[in-house]
Amino acid sequence: MATMVDVARRAGVSVATVSHVLNETRPVRPGTRKAVLDAIDDLGYIPNTLARSLVTARTRSIGLAVSAISNPYFTEILQGVEAGALERGYGLLIADPHDDPAHELTVVRLLHERRVDGVLVAPSAEPTGLLEYLDRREIPAVFLDRLVGDAHDQVCAENARPVEQLVDHLADLGHLRIGLVAGLPGLSTTTERIAGYRAGLERHGLTFRPGLLAEGHSEARGAEDAVHRLLASPEPPTAIITANNAMTIGALRALRTAGLRVPDDLALVCFDDFSWADVFSPGLTAISQPSREVGATAVRLLLERLENPGRPPRTVRLPCAFVHRTSCGCVAEAPDRPPLPGTPGLAGKDPVS
């Protein structure tokens, strides 16, 4: 097996120079750096990561804590994180906090004990213990998807305006009773999407009715129960917005159980597009989040924090896209809806009360 001495001999440099190239502990001239990297490649030399971490006080690894890794949205975030980390020479350790504050603290502590250089976390609805742990130990961290104030680096998609856009579309189609299946209480995504829902109703002069807002707790079973509650109300909705893709599945199950057809009996639109949303009949009108970009941006923010620990924290919001299909009740697919504000009404539609 090749050693650092072999690399130095092949490149015609000192062992110290090879170490500086590997550990980035001192600037090395481009030609010398290339000679060392070529020698490493020729000899198949594998650096000792443990030894390198002792020299640099870094392991070149990142911890990622996100719940429901099986969820297509978080899977795409994971892909963005992994690509961003590998591109910069970082490995990835992954844990699932299960949206439970106590378990969240446990898995982040375990990641820290494994000497990751920093962590990326999609925080729970009650992240107080997590924040105290990170702040007390000055652990570099970036929060993704969900926000926790403005004292930390964080990145997420826009939430309020896209839901307002869904309400716009349904109201333009003539719907007067628009229901929302909301996510887990306490999450910033839930709060912001409800705010967008209410703002959309107000834009169209529609009264907010508490009976048309049901908590689906961000998961399929909860959404299934929520839709059954909405349908059982004295004035059930004629259109429903689901606030994430897992809840869309639950809503579809509930509508099937109730014997209702989409969109003939009830319109359905959703926040979160997914790769098989156009396979349903009808295809699902949805808000598409920039999932991979969220993951890649989180990595970039974390590495910037590692290089410049004293810089002010940043919050990055990324735009979503309106994907128009037919579950909303439109006869045929149309081009993506233009961004807010101001969306023209659709002509030739009778109001639905």
Side-chain angles (χ1 to χ4, degrees):
M1 179 179 292
T3 67
M4 193 180 293
V5 173
D6 298 326
V7 172
R9 186 178 298 115
R10 173 68 67 92
V13 299
S14 67
V15 172
T17 298
V18 175
S19 176
H20 290 314
V21 170
L22 291 172
N23 299 317
E24 299 179 356
T25 48
R26 195 187 73 183
V28 177
R29 287 179 298 182
T32 303
R33 178 181 176 80
K34 183 177 184 305
V36 171
L37 294 177
D38 287 346
I40 288 173
D41 188 51
D42 291 343
L43 296 171
Y45 172 68
I46 300 175
N48 186 325
T49 304
L50 179 59
R52 179 191 295 178
S53 68
L54 294 175
V55 173
T56 64
R58 294 224 185 140
T59 60
R60 297 192 72 81
S61 61
I62 294 171
L64 173 64
V66 294
S67 293
I69 293 173
S70 60
N71 184 313
Y73 171 66
F74 282 116
T75 299
E76 291 187 2
I77 283 184
L78 169 58
Q79 291 169 350
V81 169
E82 182 180 42
L86 290 177
E87 181 181 348
R88 294 163 178 82
Y90 278 75
L92 195 62
L93 297 179
I94 305 170
D96 187 340
H98 301 298
D99 271 332
D100 175 75
H103 193 61
E104 171 180 73
L105 182 56
T106 297
V107 299
V108 170
R109 182 185 292 117
L110 288 173
L111 290 171
H112 182 221
E113 289 173 357
R114 280 155 179 75
R115 304 301 183 195
V116 295
D117 294 337
V119 294
L120 309 176
V121 185
S124 68
E126 299 176 12
T128 303
L130 169 68
L131 295 175
E132 290 176 351
Y133 181 86
L134 295 172
D135 292 343
R136 189 164 59 247
R137 289 161 179 79
E138 298 183 344
I139 300 171
V142 175
F143 296 105
L144 48 77
D145 184 59
R146 304 157 180 178
L147 305 184
V148 290
D150 57 5
H152 297 83
D153 292 317
Q154 47 196 359
V155 57
C156 68
E158 292 284 355
N159 288 294
R161 286 170 62 84
V163 174
E164 186 176 349
Q165 197 171 12
L166 290 174
V167 174
D168 272 351
H169 186 61
L170 293 171
D172 288 344
L173 290 172
H175 291 280
L176 304 180
R177 297 199 305 275
I178 301 171
L180 174 69
V181 179
L184 190 66
L187 296 179
S188 66
T189 49
T190 300
T191 301
E192 292 180 356
R193 291 170 195 176
I194 291 175
Y197 167 69
R198 299 191 63 160
L201 295 177
E202 184 176 352
R203 272 169 59 87
H204 290 272
L206 301 176
T207 302
F208 169 70
R209 308 183 193 188
L212 293 181
L213 173 62
E215 294 176 355
H217 297 279
S218 299
E219 47 93 20
R221 180 57 187 270
E224 192 171 352
D225 294 340
V227 169
H228 283 306
R229 292 196 300 273
L230 290 175
L231 296 177
S233 63
E235 294 186 292
T238 60
I240 290 177
I241 299 169
T242 53
N244 78 1
N245 55 26
M247 291 191 291
T248 300
I249 301 302
L252 287 169
R253 286 176 182 159
L255 295 174
R256 182 183 63 188
T257 300
L260 297 177
R261 295 171 300 167
V262 176
D264 298 344
D265 300 316
L266 186 143
L268 178 69
V269 299
C270 54
F271 197 105
D272 269 354
D273 195 24
F274 38 97
S275 58
W276 26 275
D278 60 348
V279 175
F280 288 101
S281 181
L284 295 173
T285 293
I287 294 296
S288 176
Q289 298 194 72
S291 318
R292 296 192 187 195
E293 191 177 352
V294 167
T297 301
V299 172
R300 177 172 56 80
L301 289 177
L302 181 60
L303 298 188
E304 289 176 1
R305 172 63 56 192
L306 292 173
E307 293 303 317
N308 185 8
R311 72 161 174 76
R314 297 174 56 195
T315 294
V316 177
R317 285 186 178 270
L318 301 174
C320 295
F322 182 98
V323 183
H324 187 279
R325 299 189 181 100
T326 54
S327 65
C328 51
C330 294
V331 175
E333 295 189 15
D336 287 357
R337 189 178 182 84
L340 290 175
T343 322
L346 299 180
K349 296 290 182 180
D350 295 326
V352 181
S353 60

